[in-house]
Amino acid sequence: MPDLRITVASPAERAEREVPQGTTAADVVGGDRAVVVARVNGVLRDLTHVLADGDVVEAVRNDEPDGRAVVRHSAAHVLAQAVQELHPEAKLGIGPPIENGFYYDFDVDKPFTPEDLSALDKKMQAIVKEGQAFARRVVTEDEARAELADEPYKLELIGLKGGSDGSSGGEESVEVGGGELTIYDNLRRDGSRAWRDLCRGPHVPTTRAIPAFKLMRTAAAYWRGSEKNPQLQRVYGTAWESKDAQKEYLNFLAEAEKRDHRRLGAELDLFSFPDEIGSGLAVFHPKGGVIRKVMEDYSRRRHEEAGYEFVNTPHLTKGKLFEVSGHLDWYAEGMYPPMELDEGQRYYMKPMNCPMHNLIFRARGRSYRELPLPLFEFGTVYRYEKSGVVQGLTRARGFTQDDAHIYCTREQMAEQLDRLLTFVLNLLRDYGLDDFYLELSTRDPEKSVGTDEAWEEATETLRQAAQKQSLELVLDPGGAAFYGPKISVQAKDAIGRTWQMSTIQLDFNLPERFELEYQAADGTRQRPVMIHRALFGSIERFFAVLLEHYAGAFPPWLAPVQVVGIPITDAHVPYLQDVAAQLRARGIRVEVDTSDDRMQKKIRNAQKQKVPFMLLAGDEDAAKGAVSFRYRNGEQKNGVPVADAVAEVLDAVERRVQV
RNA sequence: GCCCCUGUAGCUCAGUUGGUCAGAGCAACCGCCUUGUAAGCGGUAGGUCGUCGGUUCGAAUCCGACCGGGGGCUCCA
């Protein structure tokens, strides 16, 4: 039998080898337990895959993205096997790997309980320990239908695959894919079949190659993501290449929970959601209010410097305005239902500020000399979010946008976008976010208005502006709003989570609908282009992001209480009050703790409130005209002359640094 | 909107199979203590157990509806 020539590739090198017929990927790149699958000619394959002449083979380890996904996918299979052993009536949905884990959907009579979950976890442990092999088997459609006669959802997937060959490629999933149908058998050590599932694969060689997993939660999910379909029970799990990697991930989750803005908002007395007001509608307490005020003040200042004009508009309007804007056609279900006044006149809460700003533009004739005209407003809007999606400050029903609309000529558009992106990114950096990427959302043909040409021009202009920023640019096909494409700035926070922050949207549509015009230099009337942009998105949401980013320990310029004076005994209260007065005179938010707690307790309280500076004073300090710093990290600096202490605090605030 | 979980003092939580089970800690308030870097001590007050119905001799405990909250689906700033 002639030998095969293959290439063994690794990030470091490529080596040609001659191997006998029948050589598998495992023969070439296996041996290391961390290698779970192989990449053959760029396609992930089982290690049992038999190589052909000319193949390029690459080992895929379980600690790289593709390898992790395979481990997770295999873990999903083990879950499904466990479910069908413990709940034989369960019908299988799909079970793909996802970011940080996997899920599997099941149709069961009764939703899983927490007890079910821990029983499943145990069963999975047993299966993993047993070391069952994942064996791939190619089947015909008829064979698959026969074998999976009891699995209605799998049959549906087979039907989908058979019916729409290559038409759009849209329904490809991990169960069925590519050119052939495959079933994976889970084989016990004695070769008998423990379980099987329709699956594209690939899989790890045996269940033992799933080093760490944990079932996380259950939830309902619609079959194939549509509300019209039945709801299945989804079990979420996580899986990793090692126990340590999993532990690290679980620690990350714990850290995220500690930073949850809903928790910190209550602990730090920043805001609340009184039941009496209604779901998704927040009130800001004094400490949250002052943070918000500082955020807004700084933003206003920067907008002023950048030449924005400030406007104000009402929260409520007659329905006609949203007929003109098209919101009632496109957005009605996101709006609060109307109130009927004055013989059937319908008034709506505004879900967006743009129509109002258009009225300001249109209030009188406009000249090309006024353009670009940027109108800015902290505009509060109300959106009727479905009850299941409301979530803290990040998804509220009432929120305030730092909203601006820039009216300009087509010629000005590109430069405006350019400057805008730079402005946005710099401002976000001032608030302490500095790790960004950009996302370009393009047209959803199902949900959009306007001509193809206009969309194309707008999209291209945005793309060019984005590319100048030397940031990563990600595409989001079909993600645009109905009136135009958008760029959004995604920011990474202190623990690596990304948040969508600012959005910049081009709009050729609203100027049309509102018949906006300006008079050009040649005397003709022209239609302006409109750019929508919000930096924070919503102040509430941005507030939440910063709160989580800083874990409540705001930098001094944002901290609600910047300095707490802590007297060693009551006798030192007047001394500290004098220090506080000096700070207050310079605009510092300072309190002196005059409660009858002991000094240690006062420190603990200030520490828990995450106050950036504690200033202590007892006899020793008072005698020298000094104070002693205690910082949030527990460090201290003793005997600092009062003038120096004041200067240090002021400096930190003015430079907006974190301490 | 749909599914699951959940709702006991301002906060975190105990309350066994429905029958002195309405409790604790922290916070608040009142005293005592006068103290050098994360909880000093004592006392007082505070809840129609989310709401409304139902089952029962009897419900925080069982059932239903509604209203919050959480996790998802979907959607989105």
Side-chain angles (χ1 to χ4, degrees), chain A residues 71 74-76 78 128 134 204 206-213 239-240 243:
Chain A
V71 169
S74 298
V78 174
V128 165
F134 284 90
V204 297
T206 80
T207 55
R208 272 202 177 279
I210 302 169
F213 72 89
W240 295 84
K243 294 252 194 286

Side-chain angles (χ1 to χ4, degrees), chain A residues 163-179:
Chain A
S164 65
D165 260 301
S167 57
S168 68
E171 280 299 343
E172 191 159 305
S173 73
V174 293
E175 325 323 292
V176 293

Side-chain angles (χ1 to χ4, degrees), chain A residues 4 31 37 70-71 119-120 169 192 196 208 211 232 259 264 334 356 390 411 414 446 474 516 531 546 598 609:
Chain A
L4 310 173
V37 286
V70 170
V71 169
L120 287 170
S192 64
R196 76 180 141 207
R208 272 202 177 279
L232 305 182
R259 287 169 181 254
L264 288 171
M356 304 265 189
V390 170
E411 295 70 45
E446 307 282 298
V474 184
L516 302 184
I531 303 171
L546 286 185
R598 295 202 323 170
Q609 287 299 303

